[in-house]
Amino acid sequence: MSRELSNWQELLDSFTETGVRQGKVSKIHQTRSNNAERIKILLEDEELRVVLLKWMNHQVKRQRSLEAAKCFRETGNRQFSLKDYTACIEMYSQSILSCPVENEVELSLALANRSAALFQLDLFEDCLQDIRVALMKNYPSHLLPKILTRKIKSLRKLGLMEDCQTTLAELEASLMHLQVSEKNKIKSDIKVMLMDDQGNENTQDRDSEFDDRIIPFCGENLSFKGASTALDIRHSVEKSRYVVANRDIMAGETLFVEQPNALVVLPDFQTTRCHHCTRELPLKRYPCLSCGKIWFCSNACRQESSCYHSFECGLDSVLNSVGIAHLGARIVVSYGLETLLAFLKDTEKVKKISGIDSSYDTKSYQVMFHLVSHTERMAPDELYQYALTAAFLTLLLEQHTKFFQLASQEDRYLVGGLILVHICQMVSNAHAITEICALDENSERQERIATAIYPSASLMNHSCDPTVINSFQGNTLIVRAIRDVRKGDEVFNCYGPHYRRMRRTERLEMLESQYSFVCTCEHCCDTNTEDFQDVIYSFACPSCNGSLVNPSGSYSPAQFQMTLCRSCKTQQSYFTQLQADLEAVSLDARGTEAMDQGDIMEAIKLLTKCVQLRKRALFKGHPDLGKSADKLAQCYAFIGNYEECEKMLRISLIAVEERYGRYSIEMANELQKFTDVLMELASSRNQDLRDELVRHLEEAMFIYRIHYGAWSHSYKELQRKKIHLTTLLMK
Ligand SMILES: [Zn+2]
Ligand SMILES: [Zn+2]
Ligand SMILES: [Zn+2]
Ligand SMILES: [Zn+2]
C-alpha cells in the first residue's frame, strides 16, 4: 500500500484486494448482522487504521502556516479588486482557516478584508460579526478608521442607530493619529453618509417565486407522513412493507408530497446551490462563516444546517470523496449522539419496524433505522467496502470533530455501525433530486442536483411498469399516479429499468445486481409473450397489421422461413417485409441527404416512397416508421403544406404512443408539435378539428403537469397556446 492513492474508490479496491487474501473480507461478511462489531474489527486493525488516518490527513490538509494565510489573503485581495466578492470570501476564509492561532494581526486582517466583501454582498450582519472579531484580535490601529467606517455603514443599513452613535465616537477617537488631510477626508465621507437617506434598503422576499407554486393534495395521511389519504402501508413476510391504494385512484392524482429527511448536494452544484435546501443561490448568498466554502440561500437555511454542518465544517473535500456514503454520515450527525444512543438502548424500537401497527413519522430515527438495507444479501466484497467507508467516517468524526466528545469507545463502534446501516440503505433508498433545466426555447432536460432520502416514498416497491411518476419542486418530492389504480392494488415506483426502455434480461440483471431482488412484475414474469422491445422493432403482419416478431433473433432469417403472427395466428413470410424495409432504409438515407442539401421537393418524393413502404412493412410502433414520417412532416411544414404535414404527424404520433406510452413525456412533446400544425389548420377547417386540437392540448398539458408540475416551462407554454386558441376561435 505504498503507492500514492488518489481517490477513495482506489483505496477501497486496494484494501479489498489484500482483504480477500488475508480473509478479512469474509470475516466482516460472516459477522452476521452485527454492524458495530464490523466497525470494531476494522478500527482495531492497527495497520488499516494507520493507512486510513494517513489518507484522511492528506485529504483534510489542515496545515496551518502564516505563509499560506498570507498567500490566500493576497489572492483574495486580487479577486476583491476584480469585484469577484464570492470568490474572495472563499479565499479570505481559507486564509482564516490556515492562519496560526497565535498570529492575531494576520487573522484580523483576513477577517477585516472578508467583512469588506460581505458588505459588498449586502450581508451586513455577517460583515458586523467579522468586524467584531477582528477588533478583538489586535487589529492594526492605523487601519481602524477604515473598519469603523464600514461598521457604521452596516449598522445604519440594519437600522441599529444607537450602536451607530457609539461607533461614531470610537471613530472620532481613532482619527487622532491621522494626518489632517486624511482626517478631513474621512470626516466629509461620514457627513455625506449621514445625509444620505437610509430608506432605500430593499429586502425583497426571495421565497415569493416558490410560494405561488400550489401543490395539489387530496388530504394528508396523518399516520403515513407525506402520503395521500388514498394510501396505506401493508406488510407481508415475502414483501416486507409495501404501499396500497385504499380507494380507487385516478391518473394524475398526487400521491406523495414529501420533504427529504436528509440530502447532500452533488459536488458539481455546491457553488451554485444552497447547501441545505438545494435552491439556486440568489445574488445575496450566505457563506458558512467558519469555512466560507459552502453557501446558503438564506440565513434560515444556514441556521438550520448548523446541527450537522458544525461537524462537517472544513471537511467538505474529504466528505465529497466518499460519494453517496456522505449521506450516511449526514443522517447520523443530524440526529446527534444522544438520540442515537437512546434509540439503541430502546430494544422495542430497534426491533419494531415502523409503519406496521404504528404511524409512520418520517422525522423519527426509528423510521430511518428500519429502511431496508439488504446487508445480509450483499456480496462480501461489497459489504467490506461499505464497512470500510463507515469505519473511515467514524474515524473522521473522532479525529476531526467534537461529535464523539462524550462517547465511550463502545458507543463509537455502535454509531459506526449505524453509519454502515445507512450507507447500505442508500443503494435501495437514495433518490436523485432532479430539476428540469431549459436547454433552449423548446426543450428541457432533467439534471441531478442532489441525493436525498424520502422515507415514505421509499416504501413503494419496484415494477417495470410503474403506477407513478416522480418530480421535484425544489427538494420536495412529488409523486403522481400515471394511470388509474384500483382500490386494494399495490402502488409501484420504478427504480430505473422500465419495460418500454430496456429488455427483460437486462432489467432482471440490473435489479438483481443493484437491488438484490428478482422482479415479479407482469412484464418480467410472463415469458410467453415477446419482449416489448422485440414487438416495437417488429414487422407488420401483411394480413392483420399486427406485429410479426423476428423469428431467428438476427436480421438474416432464411429466405423462405415462415413465422406465426400472434394476433391472427396465420403463417407469414418475414423475408418479404425485410426486403421492403431494406429498400426503405436506402430511401430514407437519400431523402435525408436531399433535405440537408435544401432540395425539399426531392426529399418529399423520396421520403413519401419510404413512408409508404414502411407503413406496409413495419409494425405501427416501429421507431423507424415514426422517424421517417416525422422527417416528411418537417418537409411539408417547410413548404407550408400543413394538410400533408398533419397526415404524417399522425403516423409518428401513433409510433410514439406505442413505444413510450400514452402518458410519456415523449408523447407530450409529440402532441405539442402536432398541435402547432393543427393550429395552422384550425382557422380554415371544421369544428371537429378544433375540438381535436383542444383535446390534444389538454392531453399534453396533463402529461407535462404529472411529469414536471404546472410551473414547468412546457406546461405554461401550452397554457398560453390554449388561451390564444380560445380567443382565436371566438372571433
Ligand atoms: Zn436554502
Ligand atoms: Zn463551514
Ligand atoms: Zn419487472
Ligand atoms: Zn396477423
Side-chain angles (χ1 to χ4, degrees):
M1 213 151 296
S2 53
R3 66 200 167 96
E4 265 316 305
L5 291 158
S6 56
N7 73 50
W8 178 243
Q9 192 53 50
E10 278 176 35
L11 186 66
L12 280 182
D13 290 342
S14 122
F15 272 136
T16 315
E17 215 181 286
T18 40
V20 170
R21 264 187 278 119
Q22 298 170 344
K24 288 177 184 173
V25 170
S26 54
K27 193 177 174 194
I28 290 296
H29 193 243
Q30 276 156 15
T31 319
R32 287 226 169 250
S33 72
N34 190 343
N35 291 316
E37 189 62 30
R38 290 178 173 130
I39 301 301
K40 187 175 174 186
I41 294 172
L42 292 172
L43 288 183
E44 285 182 352
D45 180 333
E46 207 43 52
E47 195 190 336
L48 191 74
R49 203 184 159 92
V50 169
V51 184
L52 285 179
L53 280 173
K54 195 178 149 204
W55 194 83
M56 180 186 299
N57 292 329
H58 174 71
Q59 291 295 313
V60 175
K61 274 190 203 149
R62 276 197 156 172
Q63 324 99 297
R64 288 180 177 265
S65 84
L66 189 57
E67 281 301 291
K70 274 190 178 147
C71 180
F72 279 127
R73 183 164 58 85
E74 279 156 15
T75 313
N77 291 348
R78 277 194 298 276
Q79 285 160 337
F80 188 92
S81 64
L82 296 170
K83 295 196 164 77
D84 190 349
Y85 303 120
T86 310
C88 73
I89 287 175
E90 206 173 308
M91 280 303 127
Y92 293 139
S93 300
Q94 290 290 337
S95 168
I96 294 162
L97 271 177
S98 340
C99 188
V101 195
E102 63 282 0
N103 206 303
E104 293 204 345
V105 175
E106 179 57 38
L107 196 59
S108 72
L109 288 174
L111 280 160
N113 289 5
R114 188 167 76 176
S115 80
L118 289 164
F119 183 87
Q120 292 297 333
L121 294 178
D122 290 355
L123 295 167
F124 305 117
E125 277 160 26
D126 294 338
C127 165
L128 281 173
Q129 190 175 324
D130 275 359
I131 292 174
R132 278 188 205 111
V133 183
L135 290 175
M136 287 190 297
K137 299 275 180 199
N138 212 2
Y139 189 68
S141 58
H142 69 281
L143 296 172
L144 271 176
K146 232 165 131 186
I147 200 173
L148 288 174
T149 311
R150 191 177 310 130
K151 188 176 174 184
I152 293 166
K153 286 182 184 169
S154 302
L155 288 168
R156 278 169 53 81
K157 289 278 187 186
L158 294 169
L160 300 167
M161 300 321 271
E162 251 175 69
D163 294 350
C164 200
Q165 288 305 320
T166 328
T167 316
L168 263 174
E170 284 172 39
L171 177 62
E172 285 279 344
S174 77
L175 294 176
M176 278 186 1
H177 312 289
L178 292 187
Q179 288 180 350
V180 184
S181 62
E182 283 182 73
K183 211 185 281 186
N184 288 341
K185 191 181 171 296
I186 288 176
K187 277 188 171 172
S188 76
D189 270 2
I190 300 269
K191 227 183 224 164
V192 171
M193 181 176 74
L194 291 178
M195 285 187 319
D196 229 16
D197 182 25
Q198 63 167 71
N200 50 8
E201 307 135 62
N202 50 342
T203 44
Q204 37 172 212
D205 184 9
R206 285 167 207 283
D207 289 353
S208 58
E209 181 206 348
F210 274 80
D211 289 344
D212 61 8
R213 296 174 172 187
I214 305 150
I215 304 168
F217 204 87
C218 34
E220 193 191 0
N221 193 328
L222 293 178
S223 53
F224 185 7
K225 275 279 173 65
S228 125
T229 48
L231 304 177
D232 281 341
I233 301 174
R234 290 284 162 76
H235 179 262
S236 74
V237 184
E238 328 75 76
K239 300 180 75 142
S240 187
R241 289 170 298 183
Y242 59 101
V243 179
V244 295
N246 59 32
R247 61 163 167 78
D248 289 349
I249 291 170
M250 280 191 330
E253 260 192 60
T254 309
L255 299 181
F256 288 91
V257 176
E258 191 177 357
Q259 292 293 316
N261 181 290
L263 70 84
V264 168
V265 175
L266 294 174
D268 282 353
F269 290 91
Q270 282 171 1
T271 51
T272 51
R273 298 292 174 143
C274 174
H275 189 74
H276 186 63
C277 74
T278 75
R279 193 171 300 178
E280 199 155 343
L281 287 169
L283 278 179
K284 179 175 172 177
R285 46 180 63 185
Y286 296 76
C288 163
L289 288 178
S290 305
C291 66
K293 287 168 94 180
I294 60 158
W295 298 86
F296 300 94
C297 69
S298 62
N299 201 25
C301 275
R302 184 164 64 182
Q303 278 167 359
E304 276 172 39
S305 77
S306 70
C307 71
Y308 58 85
H309 186 67
S310 56
F311 300 112
E312 294 183 359
C313 193
L315 301 175
D316 55 309
S317 67
V318 61
L319 286 166
N320 281 340
S321 70
V322 299
I324 198 174
H326 180 183
L327 195 49
R330 167 69 58 82
I331 294 165
V332 159
V333 294
S334 303
Y335 278 93
L337 187 68
E338 219 174 308
T339 311
L340 301 176
L341 295 177
F343 170 79
L344 288 171
K345 283 197 186 84
D346 191 336
T347 45
E348 267 299 292
K349 280 188 178 166
V350 173
K351 256 191 278 167
K352 199 171 167 190
I353 299 176
S354 20
I356 309 165
D357 312 321
S358 64
S359 67
Y360 192 79
D361 177 4
T362 51
K363 291 277 172 252
S364 86
Y365 187 70
Q366 192 185 1
V367 160
M368 291 304 287
F369 180 78
H370 288 297
L371 290 177
V372 288
S373 59
H374 295 311
T375 318
E376 54 315 316
R377 288 196 227 156
M378 272 171 192
D381 54 344
E382 191 184 6
L383 181 61
Y384 188 67
Q385 298 209 342
Y386 292 148
L388 270 175
T389 309
F392 173 74
L393 289 167
T394 311
L395 205 57
L396 181 73
L397 289 177
E398 185 184 280
Q399 300 286 314
H400 291 285
T401 76
K402 291 179 175 162
F403 188 77
F404 285 129
Q405 217 173 14
L406 302 168
S408 68
Q409 196 53 55
E410 285 310 307
D411 289 345
R412 292 170 196 200
Y413 296 145
L414 284 172
V415 172
L418 294 177
I419 297 179
L420 176 55
V421 169
H422 296 308
I423 292 176
C424 293
Q425 286 171 344
M426 294 309 148
V427 183
S428 340
N429 295 285
H431 258 83
I433 295 184
T434 57
E435 205 158 279
I436 311 300
C437 301
L439 285 178
D440 52 58
E441 290 262 309
N442 304 312
S443 55
E444 296 172 313
R445 181 170 53 127
Q446 297 220 16
E447 193 102 59
R448 286 161 159 254
I449 309 286
T451 314
I453 295 281
Y454 296 92
S456 284
S458 273
L459 295 185
M460 282 183 286
N461 280 325
H462 163 86
S463 165
C464 301
D465 186 11
T467 22
V468 300
I469 188 90
N470 301 319
S471 64
F472 292 91
Q473 180 186 312
N475 63 29
T476 306
L477 171 67
I478 299 166
V479 179
R480 293 186 182 87
I482 200 163
R483 52 186 159 86
D484 297 345
V485 184
R486 275 198 318 263
K487 180 180 173 176
D489 281 355
E490 182 166 356
V491 175
F492 290 103
N493 202 352
C494 179
Y495 296 177
H498 194 289
Y499 83 98
R500 287 183 183 275
R501 291 161 204 269
M502 209 186 263
R503 300 187 69 84
R504 184 188 289 136
T505 44
E506 286 171 57
R507 296 199 306 268
L508 286 168
E509 212 177 277
M510 182 183 164
L511 290 165
E512 172 89 69
S513 74
Q514 204 172 332
Y515 301 100
S516 338
F517 71 84
V518 179
C519 185
T520 53
C521 83
E522 200 188 319
H523 295 271
C524 287
C525 282
D526 186 5
T527 44
N528 286 323
T529 55
E530 256 89 26
D531 195 301
F532 181 79
Q533 300 301 319
D534 289 334
V535 175
I536 277 299
Y537 285 94
S538 68
F539 288 155
C541 164
S543 62
C544 78
N545 221 22
S547 104
L548 212 58
V549 174
N550 186 346
S552 65
S554 80
Y555 276 86
S556 53
Q559 193 167 348
F560 303 107
Q561 194 176 0
M562 299 298 277
T563 179
L564 181 78
C565 167
R566 290 200 184 256
S567 312
C568 69
K569 313 281 180 222
T570 57
Q571 291 289 335
Q572 300 290 343
S573 158
Y574 187 81
F575 192 69
T576 324
Q577 302 298 58
L578 182 68
Q579 266 184 320
D581 188 45
L582 284 177
E583 203 186 327
V585 170
S586 120
L587 284 166
D588 182 271
R590 282 157 58 205
T592 313
E593 207 188 313
M595 234 175 126
D596 292 343
Q597 285 166 357
D599 190 350
I600 300 299
M601 295 324 285
E602 179 66 10
I604 288 178
K605 210 174 85 192
L606 292 162
L607 289 171
T608 305
K609 267 192 204 155
C610 168
V611 171
Q612 277 167 356
L613 272 174
R614 284 194 155 155
K615 260 180 88 176
R616 259 194 292 124
L618 300 181
F619 176 61
K620 61 181 174 178
H622 200 297
D624 289 349
L625 172 60
K627 276 182 214 153
S628 300
D630 199 75
K631 272 182 223 162
L632 187 50
Q634 279 179 45
C635 293
Y636 279 127
F638 189 80
I639 58 165
N641 185 344
Y642 294 106
E643 300 276 343
E644 289 302 318
C645 179
E646 178 205 345
K647 282 182 201 155
M648 287 306 117
L649 282 183
R650 281 187 198 278
I651 297 173
S652 81
L653 205 59
I654 291 170
V656 168
E657 183 170 352
E658 283 288 331
R659 187 179 184 195
Y660 296 107
R662 191 174 161 201
Y663 295 132
S664 63
I665 211 69
E666 288 82 1
M667 188 66 186
N669 294 339
E670 198 63 28
L671 279 168
Q672 194 181 21
K673 218 177 347 173
F674 189 50
T675 52
D676 280 338
V677 173
L678 291 188
M679 284 283 253
E680 296 289 341
L681 299 167
S683 47
S684 61
R685 288 253 294 269
N686 57 25
Q687 186 62 35
D688 284 353
L689 186 99
R690 292 175 192 175
D691 291 346
E692 190 189 352
L693 173 52
V694 173
R695 203 175 64 241
H696 286 324
L697 272 178
E698 282 170 355
E699 271 168 15
M701 282 166 76
F702 177 78
I703 300 170
Y704 282 130
R705 187 174 66 75
I706 50 179
H707 281 264
Y708 296 163
W711 48 84
S712 72
H713 172 79
S714 308
Y715 181 87
K716 285 186 172 165
E717 190 58 40
L718 285 177
Q719 203 172 28
R720 269 194 290 278
K721 216 193 248 183
K722 202 183 152 190
I723 294 167
H724 173 71
L725 178 72
T726 339
T727 45
L728 195 84
L729 296 184
M730 287 207 322
K731 278 178 193 165

